[in-house]
Amino acid sequence: MDQKPIGVFDSGLGGLTAVRELKRLLPGEDIVYFGDTGRVPYGSRSKDTIIKYAQQDVAFLRTFDLKAIMIACGTVSTTALDLLSAENPIPILGVVEPAAVAAAGSTRNGKIGLIATQASIRSGAYERYIARENPEAQVFAKACPLFVPLVENGRIHRGDVVIETVVAEYLAPLKEAGVDTLVLGCTHYPLLGEVIGDFMGPDVALISAGGEGARAVARRLTEDDALAQRDKGSARYFVSDTVDDFARLATAFLQEEVAGQVQQVDIEKEILNHRLGIRNHAV
Ligand code: DGL
């Protein structure tokens, strides 16, 4: 048993796709979420910048006493997981391997589509894990850089001509290739699940990196005998830019009111205060 919270982070809203699944699977867990909304998107940045941001995100989360950190971000998982694991003494769990394993297990025709950020596609990490699981599988990969800004702006719904047009533009080659499984390799993308599902059709299985990552966290905590023993856990959300848009979209996506639980923080100040022993978390 371990009553400490799980830390979860992403560049913005995307990690909520993992939080929703964590809450469903492990309702007793306390969650501390950080969304780096002041610096989103990560996926179009260089490897060095992504690593620097990820190290700061983890340092902020570690100002709390956590039992594990979930990198609810495909971009950071593909780019910095090994480094962050080596630098931190608590389990740091990513989304790439669980999503790749799920995709390799799901495909029937051996054709897997992969959509993710430019940094994730550039890393080749999803392809490596899929090849390990299923060496025969063909992966059709496509970076979709416009998806994250559109999601962060709430352009996620059926009938929104902008998102429907962009989805069709990006996904047409994968549909044409005949993929039967599509990895939503950026955690923002399941927020577009309805629009993507409508375009790809009912015969294409959608694999959520956030959802699969959350299931892997649940398995790991169970194996480590590190689950919390309480009926209902709490969730606190921290963001690096204004609270309002995040709170509104998070409330709609999680289907619970989160406005009172979201705070804006300056993570560099919080990290410094923590080192100096000064009271923290923008209270
Ligand atoms: N949600 C993140 C991911 O899974 C980051 C997207 C971004 O900031 O570009 O890749």
Side-chain angles (χ1 to χ4, degrees):
M1 176 179 88
D2 191 334
Q3 298 293 82
K4 294 200 286 283
I6 305 169
V8 181
F9 75 96
D10 178 47
S11 60
L13 284 161
L16 297 178
T17 60
V19 168
R20 187 162 77 173
E21 188 66 1
L22 282 176
K23 282 167 157 284
R24 193 181 72 78
L25 293 170
L26 306 173
E29 297 295 331
D30 284 346
I31 293 173
V32 178
Y33 185 87
F34 176 61
D36 198 4
T37 51
R39 301 191 293 198
V40 67
Y42 283 9
S44 50
R45 304 197 191 271
S46 68
K47 185 173 175 186
D48 287 350
T49 300
I50 294 165
I51 288 173
K52 184 177 99 184
Y53 288 177
Q55 285 172 319
Q56 290 171 336
D57 300 344
V58 168
F60 167 65
L61 283 176
R62 293 204 49 218
T63 65
F64 296 82
D65 187 17
L66 303 173
K67 62 180 163 193
I69 291 180
M70 176 177 184
I71 306 173
C73 173
T75 303
V76 174
S77 301
T78 55
T79 308
L81 172 63
D82 292 344
L83 182 71
L84 295 172
S85 294
E87 287 177 348
N88 291 281
I90 56 172
I92 308 276
L93 305 166
V95 298
V96 175
E97 185 174 6
V101 170
S106 146
T107 186
R108 297 285 161 259
N109 69 3
K111 293 182 180 182
I112 298 173
L114 165 66
I115 53 173
T117 64
Q118 291 140 297
S120 290
I121 299 294
R122 189 173 63 218
S123 75
Y126 280 103
E127 286 96 325
R128 281 196 292 281
Y129 283 114
I130 291 171
R132 185 194 70 188
E133 297 298 310
N134 181 352
E136 306 300 316
Q138 272 182 287
V139 179
F140 299 85
K142 178 93 184 150
C144 304
L146 292 176
F147 280 176
V148 168
L150 286 167
V151 169
E152 290 287 328
N153 282 284
R155 306 298 292 265
I156 60 176
H157 299 292
R158 266 190 186 122
D160 181 323
V161 69
V162 175
I163 191 61
E164 288 188 343
T165 305
V166 176
V167 164
E169 163 95 16
Y170 282 144
L171 300 190
L174 306 185
K175 194 171 175 178
E176 212 150 281
V179 303
D180 70 354
T181 299
L182 178 63
V183 181
L184 310 183
C186 165
T187 54
H188 279 72
Y189 298 177
L191 286 136
L192 301 172
E194 269 180 15
V195 182
I196 291 173
D198 287 350
F199 182 79
M200 295 304 289
D203 298 332
V204 176
L206 303 183
I207 307 289
S208 159
E212 295 302 330
R215 282 190 273 285
V217 169
R219 283 195 296 274
R220 171 68 184 266
L221 295 180
T222 306
E223 280 163 22
D224 291 356
D225 194 20
L227 294 173
Q229 300 296 319
R230 63 172 86 76
D231 291 340
K232 186 154 171 43
S234 66
R236 299 177 71 185
Y237 302 88
F238 296 90
V239 289
S240 52
D241 206 336
T242 49
V243 162
D244 294 354
D245 285 349
F246 181 91
R248 185 172 46 79
L249 291 166
T251 295
F253 181 69
L254 296 173
Q255 291 175 333
E256 61 182 51
E257 181 56 55
V258 304
Q261 293 132 257
V262 188
Q263 288 181 66
Q264 184 174 350
V265 281
D266 173 343
I267 58 171
E268 288 182 51
K269 203 166 117 197
E270 297 274 331
I271 294 164
L272 183 64
N273 283 351
H274 182 72
R275 286 188 185 135
L276 297 173
I278 298 170
R279 191 157 183 256
N280 229 343
H281 307 312
V283 281

